[in-house]
Amino acid sequence: MLADILLKYWKIFLGLGIILAIGGLFIPNDIASKIVEFTGFAILALTAYVLGYKMATDEAEKYIRSEMEKLAKRDIRYKVASEKMIKNLKGRIG
């Protein structure tokens, strides 16, 4: 659920994380500046993790699809298996 929101609005979260991480340097209160800075870096880390996972999953899906299409030319059972694998892979994302 959080990942879906991050994927949909990742540009907003990226900008917000950068603003908070840099903006924390200009707050005169030490405790408040560390909290704001840490929050900004946490948002950046979560966004980077979700985007990286999405890109890796997309690449894995392409690879599975291409390899199984090669095998499916020989036997129809491989086509059914590839569809099941891709369905399970997509089910774990969203």
Side-chain angles (χ1 to χ4, degrees):
M1 185 168 147
L2 177 62
D4 293 332
I5 294 170
L6 281 172
L7 283 174
K8 190 172 184 180
Y9 302 109
W10 71 270
K11 291 179 183 177
I12 295 170
F13 284 107
L14 187 66
L16 179 67
I18 291 171
I19 289 171
L20 287 175
I22 294 173
L25 299 172
F26 300 107
I27 296 175
N29 187 347
D30 286 338
I31 296 171
S33 70
K34 294 295 180 192
I35 291 171
V36 170
E37 189 176 351
F38 177 76
T39 305
F41 281 120
I43 291 171
L44 285 174
L46 282 172
T47 305
Y49 177 78
V50 169
L51 288 175
Y53 181 78
K54 174 70 173 148
M55 289 176 56
T57 306
D58 289 345
E59 289 299 317
E61 180 184 339
K62 288 178 193 174
Y63 180 75
I64 290 170
R65 192 178 303 264
S66 69
E67 290 298 317
M68 287 304 208
E69 283 177 359
K70 291 177 190 174
L71 293 172
K73 290 178 183 175
R74 293 187 220 152
D75 194 350
I76 192 70
R77 291 178 290 177
Y78 291 114
K79 183 172 183 163
V80 174
S82 70
E83 290 171 1
K84 285 182 182 178
M85 281 193 292
I86 291 174
K87 182 181 176 185
N88 288 334
L89 188 65
K90 288 188 177 219
R92 292 183 183 173
I93 296 172

